Amino acid sequence: MPRSVETSPADSDPALSEPPLPLFDTAQTVTLGPVPSYLKDHRKRLRARFLDGGAKAVPDYELLELLLFGALPRGDVKPLAHALIERFGDLAGVVTAPSAQLSKIEGVGESVLVALKVTQAVAGRLARAKVLNRPVISSWSALLDYCHTVMAHRSVEHARVLYLDRKNCLIADEELARGTVDHVPLYPREVLKRALDLDASALILVHNHPTGDSTPSEQDIALTRRVEEAASALSVVLHDHLIIGKSQEYSFRANGLL
């Protein structure tokens, strides 16, 4: 017996509704009409402009349109792209938004969610590939880009630790804790236990501030001191503690707190 299919807000708008995915439900078939010529021409022109000029040739909402073309092969995706940008601020905000919040936008179904989350995963892995197993000193800018890519748009605080070997190459990047909008629990004992497991010689603490302000709190400063003391006792160097804001980061080392 075919299983029932839940409807979403998008089902009320044929232009944005998504056809069933055969991979998940082969019991239904849908006959789709041809794409209107004006939409076909728009997609063709937009793809050509992107191929000719790259990302700089198109604004955020049009890049998002290009992304949505594959997820929604029928209909005009421009209104959905505008709605997503308006709700989440920019392309990065859309791609990194929690799935639960994205699903509240009319027109966002499984295919759109998958497209956005795959894009987020690819961006993170590309940024990570530029720093993994490379000396952090010579790839510091790439390291900051990676931290911003994976943390700047998170809605709650996350703490991760970058573990380095004797040549200061990144050997492990691990998220150790998730918290609330203004606090994340991180315990020096757990940080150093993992360092010993990895035979790491140094480490970098990283956490984000969802408010966008990267200024450290008194708790951030106190935690950094505790980790530094515990690391020093085990001959492990704390190179830095980075706080990632929306558009900038705060380095404890650069600001004389380490």
Side-chain angles (χ1 to χ4, degrees):
M1 177 181 294
R3 57 186 176 85
S4 60
V5 179
E6 295 182 358
T7 60
S8 67
D11 294 329
S12 61
D13 185 350
L16 293 178
S17 61
E18 302 179 33
L21 300 176
L23 178 62
F24 300 107
D25 194 338
T26 58
Q28 296 186 8
T29 59
V30 174
T31 301
L32 297 172
V35 179
S37 60
Y38 74 93
L39 289 180
K40 191 180 297 184
D41 291 343
H42 170 67
R43 293 186 177 209
K44 183 178 180 180
R45 288 194 302 269
L46 187 51
R47 288 188 178 112
R49 182 146 48 89
F50 175 76
L51 289 174
D52 289 341
K56 293 181 180 179
V58 293
D60 273 10
Y61 81 89
E62 289 187 331
L63 270 179
L64 186 53
E65 278 191 73
L66 286 164
L67 181 60
L68 295 174
F69 287 167
L72 299 173
R74 300 290 186 271
D76 185 2
V77 300
K78 184 181 292 186
L80 177 56
H82 278 294
L84 288 166
I85 294 291
E86 182 177 355
R87 170 62 180 83
F88 298 107
D90 56 20
L91 181 59
V94 173
V95 171
T96 59
S99 296
Q101 293 184 25
L102 287 166
S103 297
K104 294 178 181 179
I105 305 298
E106 184 174 358
V108 174
E110 185 180 68
S111 293
V112 171
L113 277 178
V114 169
L116 294 175
K117 291 298 130 185
V118 166
T119 301
Q120 180 183 8
V122 169
R125 292 194 183 188
L126 287 174
R128 186 171 182 266
K130 294 181 179 180
V131 296
L132 191 62
N133 296 319
R134 299 185 184 185
V136 297
I137 302 303
S138 60
S139 57
W140 190 251
S141 179
L143 182 69
L144 294 179
D145 286 344
Y146 168 63
C147 291
H148 277 280
T149 298
V150 299
M151 300 187 76
H153 293 274
R154 302 258 180 127
S155 58
V156 297
E157 288 197 12
H158 290 64
R160 66 194 320 115
V161 184
L162 310 179
Y163 293 99
L164 313 176
D165 64 13
R166 289 173 177 78
K167 295 181 179 180
N168 285 326
C169 290
L170 181 65
I171 56 174
D173 159 35
E174 301 188 357
E175 183 178 287
L176 294 189
R178 299 185 182 190
T180 63
V181 293
D182 59 2
H183 174 71
V184 60
L186 187 64
Y187 304 102
R189 180 178 178 180
E190 294 181 4
V191 173
L192 273 302
K193 180 179 182 300
R194 188 60 179 144
L196 294 177
D197 290 342
L198 294 166
D199 195 24
S201 296
L203 55 89
I204 298 171
L205 299 178
V206 188
H207 83 277
N208 64 306
H209 278 181
T211 61
D213 181 3
S214 59
T215 305
S217 66
E218 290 299 323
Q219 292 87 346
D220 294 333
I221 295 172
L223 170 65
T224 305
R225 288 173 178 163
R226 292 199 303 272
V227 173
E228 183 182 26
E229 290 173 1
S232 179
L234 297 174
S235 299
V236 176
V237 177
L238 176 58
H239 273 320
D240 209 341
H241 183 176
L242 299 173
I243 300 178
I244 306 300
K246 280 288 192 292
S247 59
Q248 62 183 3
E249 71 285 338
Y250 184 96
S251 163
F252 276 62
R253 176 74 61 183
N255 285 277
L257 295 180
L258 274 175

